[in-house]
Amino acid sequence: MSTSLRDNHDKAIHEVERYRRLIECIQGYAILLLDASGYIETWNVGVQKIYGYNADEVIGKHFSIFYTADDCARGKPDNRLLRAAQDGRMEDEDWRIRKDGTHFWAEVTLTALHNDNGTLVGFATVARDNTERKKAQSELVIANNLFKQQHLTLETLNNIKDEFISLASHQLRTPATGIKQFLGILLEGYAGDLTTTQLRYIQKAYDSNERQIQLINSLLRTAQIDAGKTILNKSYVNLKALVKDVIGELKDVFASRKQTIRIERGKEVPAVYIDESRMRMVLENLIDNASKYT
């Protein structure tokens, strides 16, 4: 053998030895070389760490020793070799079994190896323990299912609440409206003359009943909004006229609080496309709150 060939041969052996030592030192992955029939030819320390086997316990054995009895009975190891041989490579995640019989969730890559002539000479298999990730994923799935169940429960309770508020509002508004009408008849004098004291008490009752009706209407509107059943009846509205009208309705409130309100008119405002009743409600709340907390 010439010096050049001998040097190349020695260099190749040296490189092979370097890679062998590198593979043997990797602990986070179980790295094995199999022959074409699936029998183990090499071993690294990762095999001992993950599977629990020493080199002399696995070299020469079929790699099916890492599969569960059920998987072996179904021919899964041979099926994996066949797929890798056909496709050149296959990846798999499944349960594997350790030397002590315990199971772990493994991520495995099986790669077919060919010589220069294209003949299959074996397989390289790399595996790692993904049990913790599998556990975390399972816990996440359980938590997600629990969240969905809680969401459905809350949705059901919310529908029951909306139905209750709607029903209660309708049932309460009917007698309250009747009371308002009868009190109005008394205040207008249609039932005969009343003393000043009687009128004062009836007026207080009328005002309290009016507030109760407003509260019932607010509950009903809230239920409609929560249920997504609010319908806007839009039209073109003169916003300045609407503001003036709302202030006119609240003038007695301002007088009772010894307040004055002034409207500063700017340039002409075009008609706006809104739900007049809803906008009236907004203006009433804004102006009344401004008056109340002034």
Side-chain angles (χ1 to χ4, degrees), residues 3 18 35 45 90 142 152 180 183 186 198 283-284:
T3 302
R18 285 181 62 194
D35 65 13
V45 292
M90 73 147 297
I142 293 172
L152 290 175
K180 177 181 179 179
L183 290 174
L186 293 174
Q198 289 173 331
L283 292 172
E284 287 174 352

Side-chain angles (χ1 to χ4, degrees), residues 14-34 40-50 55 59 111 113 123-127:
H14 178 68
E15 288 298 319
V16 170
E17 182 64 18
R18 285 181 62 194
Y19 283 118
R20 185 186 65 79
R21 291 179 180 179
L22 176 62
I23 291 173
E24 286 183 350
C25 292
I26 296 175
Q27 298 186 23
Y29 294 83
I31 303 175
L32 296 166
L33 289 180
L34 313 178
I40 301 169
E41 294 183 334
T42 65
W43 169 99
N44 80 323
V45 292
V47 176
Q48 183 173 4
K49 184 175 181 180
I50 295 176
I59 292 178
T111 304
L113 303 176
F123 301 89
T125 174
V126 180

Side-chain angles (χ1 to χ4, degrees), residues 2-275:
S2 66
T3 302
S4 178
L5 290 175
R6 186 181 300 108
D7 290 342
N8 289 336
H9 181 264
D10 292 342
K11 185 177 180 180
I13 293 176
H14 178 68
E15 288 298 319
V16 170
E17 182 64 18
R18 285 181 62 194
Y19 283 118
R20 185 186 65 79
R21 291 179 180 179
L22 176 62
I23 291 173
E24 286 183 350
C25 292
I26 296 175
Q27 298 186 23
Y29 294 83
I31 303 175
L32 296 166
L33 289 180
L34 313 178
D35 65 13
S37 299
Y39 287 90
I40 301 169
E41 294 183 334
T42 65
W43 169 99
N44 80 323
V45 292
V47 176
Q48 183 173 4
K49 184 175 181 180
I50 295 176
Y51 288 107
Y53 289 97
N54 293 320
D56 57 354
E57 294 176 309
V58 294
I59 292 178
K61 300 286 184 64
H62 196 269
F63 85 118
S64 59
I65 62 172
F66 305 132
Y67 284 76
T68 65
D70 289 341
D71 284 343
C72 289
R74 292 196 296 266
K76 195 170 186 178
D78 291 333
N79 174 265
R80 294 297 182 264
L81 293 178
L82 180 61
R83 284 181 54 188
Q86 291 175 342
D87 301 334
R89 171 190 174 94
M90 73 147 297
E91 296 180 357
D92 189 23
E93 279 195 89
D94 206 346
W95 292 107
R96 293 291 187 271
I97 190 167
R98 297 187 180 92
K99 177 183 175 181
D100 60 8
T102 58
H103 293 68
F104 70 97
W105 188 256
E107 178 186 339
V108 182
T109 301
L110 194 62
T111 304
L113 303 176
H114 300 83
N115 60 19
D116 295 338
N117 297 324
T119 303
L120 179 68
V121 295
F123 301 89
T125 174
V126 180
R128 67 173 175 174
D129 186 350
N130 274 344
T131 304
E132 290 302 318
R133 192 190 73 178
K134 177 68 174 178
K135 180 180 177 182
Q137 289 176 339
S138 298
E139 291 174 349
L140 183 61
V141 170
I142 293 172
N144 187 52
N145 290 335
L146 179 60
F147 171 77
K148 289 181 179 179
Q149 292 175 1
Q150 291 175 339
H151 177 73
L152 290 175
T153 300
L154 289 175
E155 195 173 54
T156 301
L157 291 174
N158 189 57
N159 291 336
I160 293 173
K161 181 263 296 181
D162 290 340
E163 184 177 352
F164 169 76
I165 292 177
S166 179
L167 180 62
S169 298
H170 282 296
Q171 295 299 321
L172 290 172
R173 187 165 56 178
T174 300
T177 302
I179 292 172
K180 177 181 179 179
Q181 292 173 348
F182 284 114
L183 290 174
I185 290 173
L186 293 174
L187 289 174
E188 295 295 331
Y190 293 114
D193 295 333
L194 299 173
T195 65
T196 302
T197 301
Q198 289 173 331
L199 284 173
R200 185 171 73 252
Y201 286 137
I202 292 174
Q203 185 64 51
K204 287 182 178 293
Y206 183 90
D207 293 341
S208 296
N209 186 69
E210 186 67 19
R211 287 193 294 272
Q212 183 181 22
I213 291 175
Q214 291 177 1
L215 177 61
I216 293 170
N217 289 336
S218 296
L219 286 173
L220 184 57
R221 286 192 293 268
T222 300
Q224 290 173 339
I225 292 172
D226 286 345
K229 296 179 180 179
T230 302
I231 299 176
L232 298 179
N233 298 311
K234 293 184 177 182
S235 62
Y236 286 99
V237 177
N238 185 319
L239 192 58
K240 281 189 174 182
L242 179 59
V243 172
K244 186 177 180 180
D245 189 36
V246 171
I247 290 176
E249 291 178 355
L250 294 172
K251 63 181 181 179
D252 291 338
V253 175
F254 302 141
S256 66
R257 295 170 180 168
K258 299 181 180 180
Q259 296 171 333
T260 58
I261 184 169
R262 182 177 71 253
I263 302 176
E264 294 184 358
R265 293 179 175 85
K267 295 181 180 180
E268 193 62 30
V269 178
V272 290
Y273 191 61
I274 56 174
D275 184 316

